[in-house]
Amino acid sequence: MNSPLLIDGKVAAAEVLAQVKNDVEIMKAGGVHPCLAVILVGDDPASEVYVRNKVLRAEECGITSLEYKVGSDTSQAHVLHMIEVLNQDAAVHGILVQLPLPKHIDESVVLQAINPQKDVDGFHSENVGGLSQGLDVLAPCTPTGCMYLLHKTLGDLSGKHAVVIGRSNIVGKPMAALLLKANCTVTILHSRSERAETICRQADIVVAAVGRPLMVDADWLKPGAVVIDVGINRINAGGRSRLVGDVDMESALTKVSAITPVPGGVGPMTIAFLMRNTLTAAKQQTQSRAKSEASCLSIS
């Protein structure tokens, strides 16, 4: 077998962002300025870093970014009011509430309050349901980024057996839906799965998104498999702290044909597809508004 391909998420993300920037410039020339609003509740350091990176990428793409930061003691009612104001603002095309939220705020209630057309995270039940039906909706950014890497690596995915390890609403379930849409045969493995290792070893594609460091090694993998490692885990080894995935890279390299590294694999794709979702939302809302205005004119 040839040396395994390390799937470079940084290069792929740069491609996506360059296309987004080009399309944003075209929209601006037509008088539409794509806009993303981000709400950050509290002062969690990791969340602040994520929001800062999202705002920076938006600015680089020419997308207007609005950042709303409120204290951790902010009421759920106030957060819902902020969302409703943004829902009604035609100049805002995408709304993102940075997770996790403080414990006194119901995450599901907040996510359901976002207009599905502006739900650039793809977490609203209307978008989740549409995705399960194979419709073109705003889908979660990480799984969509994973699909981009898989298509870039393998081309047509039809008929491939894909195993998704993990069943979270953010990655595992939407990942399975996107793979089904691409005509894969899909198996989801989770904490209650029996013979997980044996089943995984049958897969042409493995997407590990379980949050357990180095869980998947060569014994889990079919020779020539393509592995997408979504996990980002910090461990201490040899007196040093380092980031690792859910896949034991050193072991997996003896079996796979291609694999994403951690870091530098899936991570950059998430923000890139957040920008693409914002652009898509802006296009869809502009088209919807134009159709509505045309309808009003024809009636009058």
Side-chain angles (χ1 to χ4, degrees), residues 235-286:
I235 65 170
N236 291 309
R240 295 179 61 186
S241 175
R242 65 187 182 100
L243 289 176
V244 299
D246 292 346
V247 179
D248 184 338
M249 168 79 80
E250 186 175 345
S251 175
L253 285 172
T254 65
K255 281 279 191 73
V256 302
S257 62
I259 187 170
T260 55
V262 177
V266 172
M269 301 301 295
T270 300
I271 294 182
F273 274 85
L274 172 63
M275 297 305 115
R276 199 168 89 163
N277 272 0
T278 302
L279 173 68
T280 299
K283 288 180 178 178
Q284 291 175 344
Q285 288 163 50
T286 301

Side-chain angles (χ1 to χ4, degrees), residues 133-233:
Q133 294 176 323
L135 303 178
D136 289 327
V137 295
L138 294 171
C141 305
T142 300
T144 312
C146 291
M147 291 300 295
Y148 183 90
L149 295 177
L150 284 170
H151 283 299
K152 188 176 176 65
T153 304
L154 290 170
D156 183 15
L157 305 183
S158 295
K160 303 288 187 186
H161 181 197
V163 162
V164 179
I165 308 175
R167 53 178 170 176
S168 73
N169 292 330
I170 294 175
V171 181
K173 291 175 184 176
M175 188 75 231
L178 288 168
L179 287 163
L180 277 173
K181 189 176 180 181
N183 299 314
C184 291
T185 300
V186 183
T187 304
I188 300 178
L189 298 177
H190 49 79
S191 59
R192 300 298 178 87
S193 296
E194 296 181 358
R195 301 182 297 106
E197 189 175 321
T198 301
I199 295 169
C200 188
R201 204 158 40 233
Q202 300 168 10
D204 305 302
I205 297 167
V206 176
V207 181
V210 71
R212 291 181 58 184
L214 310 177
M215 184 185 83
V216 177
D217 60 18
D219 290 339
W220 287 65
L221 302 172
K222 172 183 178 179
V226 173
V227 176
I228 304 294
D229 190 352
V230 183
I232 302 178
N233 312 283

